[in-house]
Amino acid sequence: MFAQETGKVWNLSLDTVVVKGNTFSRTVRNRADGSFVWDMQMMDFLPKIMGNADPMHYAQMLPGIQTNNEMKSGINIQGCDNSHNMLSIGGVPIFNVSHLLGFFSTFNPSHYPTFSLHQSAPLSTARIGGQLNMDLNNQVADTLSGELSVGLISSQGTLRLPLGRNTSLTTSLRGSYLNLLYSQWLRADDQQIQYSFYDVNATLTHRIDSTNTLFVDFYKGHDEVSFKESDYYANMNDYWGNTMGAIHWHHNGHQGLRMKQTLYVTSYKNQFQMNIQDARFRLPSSITEIGYRSSYDWKRLEGGVQAMWYDIQPQELETSGTYNISSGRMPRSHAFQAAVHLGYNQPLFSDLSLFGGLRADYFQVSDKRFYGLDPQVGVNYSYGDLQVMLHYALRHQYLFQTGFSNIGLPSEFWLSANKQTEPQYAHEWSLSAATYLFQRNYRVSADLFYKRLYHQLEYSGSVLDFMNSTYNIERQLLHGNGRNYGFSLMFNKCNGPLTGWISYTYTHATRTFSAIKQTGHYPASHERPHELNAVATYTLNRHWSFGATFVYASGTPFTAPVSISLIDNNLMMKYGEYNSSRLKPYHRLDLSANYKWQSRRCREQGINLSLYNAIAQENELFYYIKTRDDGSFAYRPVTFMLRILPSISYFCKF
């Protein structure tokens, strides 16, 4: 290095310049508001269940989120029911996200760049829980690209096609062929299972100018499953699916002004039916939402307007060849909801800021009207890498979901607030803190939460209820209140060849129901007090990478029968205390290895080898009634079809 003076100006010449910094590997990112953002490309490094890396499956590995077993889908956030959370694509609700009895979700990870998860729903969401949203890709493809994945039970592909300088089309297709190769695996004790599903995604992206982008988004999914129970000469079939279409306009203007406008329709239908000898039962249900949503964000101010119309068919019983009577039938209903929300963030000092917001809702069904005002307030303290947030909110929810929650099928149905059912609402308090350590190589976080819930619903019966002489949904619905409280801890390694996290969550979710003769608090049907999750990815070199996940969780509660009898071919059961029994604790280790290489046709391709449940643990799924050879009954647990589930898949990115 040398220097010389020219007048009053110094000229410096450096032989070598070395710039060092931390390169963050693909991992979960935390926003300033406490939400998580997951880069979908991280799925390439993690274990794949039967060749598929599912976003919902890995969202359950985050702190404060409950892990589900193999035959349950959805997501439980901070002790809330699945229906308390909004699951969405680009902000548009999807009412059921189950594929393959919870193994897959309807979200194809190759179609979306990221997903975001809010443990506390934002002002724009009428839910008392949180929100998981699949984010739209706002980049216009300028070259033909895509990716393909071929597994043992399903294949999926995504194609990004440029249609001009400012327009591109992204299409994705996924389909299963499980019964083609592995029909002998699909047995739960004596029940033979036939199953198939498919997904179709299409997103048209058009950049109007530098500040405006138009999206036309479409999704269609369909599932079919059937069971054959030889002991009862019974056949059970279920057909369900989602359809969604939306038009989005995003505006990112000058001076920080951002606007989003969405016009959409989304629908979910379920057709559950059962044949027992000459008797036939059908339990159809559906929900359709047509709506408009807008949001505005400018400097410290945010707001939005919403209007939604609902067509809801709660579960109803249709029978033939039986003397059963459908009593208390719930007719199709139509509802309208309008809402406006406004929030403001005010800095108080250099390290302290205050957020305040208010959401106003109007909900009408038939001649019944409901009004709701939901305030939110939060204090945010930031000093260097340390961030502390204190939050309170009151939330109302006008749509509810209930049904046969213990058998794992998507037979849950939706209904709305009405003359008999008040809107659900909850008070929530939370305190969270997070900081980086050791030159931002590590991040630690802790969260405390408490929720007081009112007008909660739970289904107290089973799949066999509609076989009784009278069938009345209202008799099976428990109305009451609840409390969720707990804490979570997370230690995250942010960069380097080895990345991942370890998290522990304690959650206590209790419910009190006026219909139960016993007094006291009862655990919610999804409660798992203790959960430990670990996720790790290791990149050895440009060819080899490895991944592992470990889950330990307390068993979920259920109501066990104390006596079972068969009278006039009607199965009669007397149940014990509500949710007084629990499944055994759940634990599972998954492992994966990826080998990648490049070729002329593919910029990246490789083989993924995965082991699901590598420790061969027999985790209980649920209990069911088993008929013995002597005509007696037994109430026994059902475990997953295989102890260890290996898979191999090929993937190609071009």
Side-chain angles (χ1 to χ4, degrees):
M1 183 182 84
F2 67 91
Q4 68 180 27
E5 183 179 5
T6 305
K8 295 184 178 181
V9 179
W10 283 86
N11 296 321
L12 300 177
S13 298
L14 302 179
D15 295 333
T16 304
V17 177
V18 178
V19 178
K20 293 184 178 181
N22 290 328
T23 301
F24 283 74
S25 300
R26 293 188 181 99
T27 184
V28 175
R29 305 192 307 272
N30 298 83
R31 288 172 172 165
D33 60 359
S35 62
F36 296 96
V37 179
W38 190 304
D39 189 335
M40 289 296 189
Q41 296 186 50
M42 185 183 178
M43 301 292 180
D44 294 340
F45 300 89
L46 294 173
K48 298 183 178 181
I49 305 174
M50 292 182 282
N52 178 78
D54 183 66
M56 291 291 295
H57 175 77
Y58 288 110
Q60 295 168 5
M61 305 293 292
L62 295 172
I65 315 300
Q66 176 177 301
T67 300
N68 287 333
N69 63 28
E70 282 80 6
M71 287 193 174
K72 288 188 178 180
S73 61
I75 192 170
N76 301 102
I77 302 176
Q78 294 184 344
C80 287
D81 299 345
N82 175 49
S83 61
H84 290 162
N85 310 300
M86 182 172 170
L87 308 178
S88 57
I89 298 175
V92 178
I94 302 295
F95 291 103
N96 183 280
V97 296
S98 171
H99 277 325
L100 194 54
L101 305 177
F103 264 111
F104 291 18
S105 74
T106 60
F107 302 134
N108 188 337
S110 63
H111 193 81
Y112 310 99
T114 59
F115 76 76
S116 55
L117 189 145
H118 297 259
Q119 295 194 21
S120 180
L123 277 170
S124 58
T125 303
R127 292 288 197 273
I128 62 178
Q131 180 179 8
L132 187 149
N133 181 65
M134 309 305 293
D135 303 317
L136 297 176
N137 190 351
N138 58 10
Q139 299 297 320
V140 176
D142 54 2
T143 59
L144 179 65
S145 64
E147 51 192 274
L148 174 68
S149 177
V150 179
L152 297 177
I153 68 166
S154 68
S155 296
Q156 61 191 43
T158 297
L159 182 66
R160 302 174 187 90
L161 179 66
L163 300 179
R165 183 176 180 181
N166 298 315
T167 307
S168 64
L169 176 66
T170 302
T171 60
S172 298
L173 178 65
R174 178 171 58 177
S176 70
Y177 35 82
L178 181 60
N179 294 108
L180 181 63
L181 298 176
Y182 301 108
S183 60
Q184 70 274 16
W185 287 7
L186 294 179
R187 294 187 66 87
D189 290 317
D190 291 332
Q191 295 186 16
Q192 179 64 48
I193 305 173
Q194 299 289 329
Y195 184 84
S196 65
F197 73 87
Y198 71 83
D199 289 303
V200 178
N201 293 84
T203 304
L204 179 71
T205 305
H206 176 66
R207 184 180 294 117
I208 301 174
D209 53 36
S210 60
T211 60
N212 295 281
T213 306
L214 181 70
F215 303 88
V216 180
D217 195 30
F218 171 80
Y219 168 75
K220 172 69 176 179
H222 181 76
D223 294 70
E224 294 185 15
V225 64
S226 64
F227 296 82
K228 293 183 179 180
E229 175 54 73
S230 57
D231 291 335
Y232 299 107
Y233 301 99
N235 296 327
M236 290 184 290
N237 301 279
D238 202 359
Y239 310 88
W240 70 94
N242 297 276
T243 303
M244 185 275 294
I247 300 175
H248 306 267
W249 171 49
H250 291 185
H251 173 77
N252 293 318
H254 301 291
Q255 297 182 347
L257 176 62
R258 294 180 296 175
M259 297 187 298
K260 295 182 180 180
Q261 316 283 335
T262 301
L263 183 65
Y264 65 93
V265 57
T266 180
S267 177
Y268 169 69
K269 294 183 179 180
N270 180 61
Q271 294 283 345
F272 180 83
Q273 54 187 348
M274 181 175 181
N275 300 331
I276 303 180
Q277 296 182 352
D278 295 330
R280 290 175 173 81
F281 307 86
R282 293 184 68 251
L283 294 169
S285 62
S286 65
I287 180 171
T288 299
E289 177 180 340
I290 302 174
Y292 166 77
R293 295 173 182 263
S294 67
S295 63
Y296 309 87
D297 189 349
W298 182 63
K299 295 183 178 180
R300 303 173 185 171
L301 187 67
E302 66 174 75
V305 177
Q306 301 172 3
M308 292 81 72
W309 178 84
Y310 305 99
D311 177 21
I312 306 173
Q313 175 59 71
Q315 185 171 271
E316 60 176 343
L317 175 63
E318 300 175 3
T319 65
S320 62
T322 177
Y323 293 103
N324 286 17
I325 302 172
S326 179
S327 177
R329 182 173 178 177
M330 303 182 72
R332 181 182 296 272
S333 64
H334 299 97
F336 174 76
Q337 182 178 1
V340 59
H341 63 273
L342 187 67
Y344 186 76
N345 188 65
Q346 175 61 52
L348 300 178
F349 304 101
S350 59
D351 302 323
L352 190 67
S353 63
L354 174 67
F355 174 81
L358 181 66
R359 177 187 174 96
D361 276 282
Y362 168 80
F363 190 90
Q364 179 177 350
V365 54
S366 299
D367 57 349
K368 184 66 175 178
R369 297 176 176 85
F370 300 99
Y371 303 90
L373 288 177
D374 295 353
Q376 291 189 28
V377 62
V379 178
N380 189 348
Y381 172 77
S382 297
Y383 181 77
D385 289 331
L386 175 65
Q387 188 173 50
V388 181
M389 291 179 289
L390 179 64
H391 175 81
Y392 163 78
L394 169 63
R395 304 183 186 279
H396 284 79
Q397 182 168 332
Y398 304 89
L399 297 178
F400 325 124
Q401 187 183 33
T402 188
F404 310 137
S405 59
N406 291 328
I407 67 169
L409 291 175
S411 53
E412 286 76 16
F413 57 93
W414 290 85
L415 63 157
S416 71
N418 51 45
K419 293 181 179 180
Q420 292 77 31
T421 306
E422 293 289 326
Q424 297 181 355
Y425 68 95
H427 296 275
E428 67 172 41
W429 295 264
S430 65
L431 174 65
S432 62
T435 188
Y436 287 95
L437 301 174
F438 306 111
Q439 298 181 341
R440 298 178 66 87
N441 288 313
Y442 300 90
R443 187 179 188 272
V444 293
S445 61
D447 297 273
L448 290 170
F449 64 89
Y450 179 85
K451 295 176 183 283
R452 194 73 173 92
L453 303 93
Y454 298 89
H455 302 154
Q456 299 302 292
L457 288 178
E458 279 202 18
Y459 193 91
S460 63
S462 71
V463 69
L464 299 176
D465 290 328
F466 61 87
M467 297 172 58
N468 297 325
S469 58
T470 60
Y471 176 70
N472 190 330
I473 294 177
E474 289 293 346
R475 294 178 183 175
Q476 307 299 340
L477 295 181
L478 300 178
H479 299 257
N481 301 323
R483 293 182 301 172
N484 301 342
Y485 59 88
F487 67 91
S488 64
L489 303 171
M490 183 178 185
F491 180 80
N492 188 2
K493 188 176 186 301
C494 303
N495 58 67
L498 175 65
T499 61
W501 68 86
I502 298 176
S503 67
Y504 169 76
T505 301
Y506 172 78
T507 303
H508 197 45
T510 62
R511 303 291 184 263
T512 57
F513 300 104
S514 58
I516 299 180
K517 295 181 181 179
Q518 299 94 334
T519 59
H521 301 282
Y522 300 87
S525 297
H526 59 271
E527 183 199 58
R528 280 182 158 165
H530 302 282
E531 297 198 32
L532 178 67
N533 294 289
V535 176
T537 64
Y538 178 72
T539 302
L540 179 63
N541 51 46
R542 65 188 183 93
H543 292 295
W544 285 99
S545 63
F546 304 91
T549 61
F550 176 77
V551 177
Y552 175 87
S554 303
T556 52
F558 67 97
T559 305
V562 295
S563 64
I564 305 171
S565 59
L566 190 65
I567 302 176
D568 294 333
N569 291 325
N570 287 324
L571 193 64
M572 309 298 294
M573 292 180 291
K574 182 180 179 180
Y575 289 94
E577 187 175 358
Y578 183 73
N579 277 354
S580 59
S581 302
R582 281 188 182 270
L583 301 177
K584 292 181 179 179
Y586 181 96
H587 46 286
R588 191 188 76 244
L589 172 67
D590 304 333
L591 302 173
S592 71
N594 290 290
Y595 181 77
K596 302 179 181 180
W597 70 92
Q598 294 180 340
S599 66
R600 294 181 179 179
R601 296 184 178 180
C602 296
R603 58 181 172 87
E604 181 181 275
Q605 58 183 325
I607 299 292
N608 172 270
L609 301 173
S610 295
L611 279 179
Y612 181 82
N613 194 22
I615 56 178
Q617 176 65 26
E618 287 189 299
N619 291 306
E620 296 178 349
L621 304 179
F622 56 88
Y623 275 71
Y624 88 114
I625 301 171
K626 172 68 176 177
T627 305
R628 297 194 178 104
D629 294 336
D630 59 1
S632 60
F633 300 100
Y635 199 59
R636 55 177 294 182
V638 174
T639 59
F640 187 58
M641 59 190 76
L642 292 175
R643 281 195 175 186
I644 299 178
L645 187 58
S647 66
I648 181 172
S649 61
Y650 166 80
F651 58 89
C652 172
K653 298 181 180 181
F654 58 89

